Amino acid sequence: MPSAGRSVVLQLRVRRFTCGNSGCTRRTFVEQIPGLTRRHGQRTEWLRATLAAVGFALAGRAGARLNSALGVCVSRSTVLRLVDALP
């Protein structure tokens, strides 16, 4: 989420581990930070949950407009995809 009206970019340095087992299908593993990151994620968990909550309350276009007013530009498709991923 923006802070004081400015965009914020987090740059993380995580460790990459290799699997020594030749039978393992995954060769490398990357450290995840609980509550902050997820595999292949482009957003923090907090931002993803916030976008999904706005989308759940307002649906596609209205949710995208409110998120834009909050400083987070996402498409209506993204909002609906996040709502669809909710349990």
Side-chain angles (χ1 to χ4, degrees):
M1 293 293 290
S3 177
R6 301 178 127 182
S7 294
V8 176
V9 177
L10 296 176
Q11 292 184 352
L12 301 174
R13 187 171 293 197
V14 294
R15 296 178 290 182
R16 181 174 294 273
F17 302 102
T18 57
C19 183
N21 184 357
S22 61
C24 184
T25 58
R26 294 179 63 193
R27 295 283 180 207
T28 62
F29 301 87
V30 176
E31 175 181 42
Q32 298 297 319
I33 301 168
L36 185 62
T37 61
R38 72 168 40 188
R39 254 179 102 206
H40 306 292
Q42 298 294 313
R43 299 175 182 89
T44 62
E45 288 296 308
W46 187 84
L47 177 58
R48 189 189 59 74
T50 302
L51 293 174
V54 168
F56 188 71
L58 299 175
R61 283 198 178 110
R65 279 195 307 269
L66 179 59
N67 285 324
S68 179
L70 295 173
V72 183
C73 294
V74 292
S75 69
R76 65 184 177 93
S77 301
T78 300
V79 172
L80 292 174
R81 194 175 317 112
L82 290 169
V83 170
D84 211 22
L86 290 173

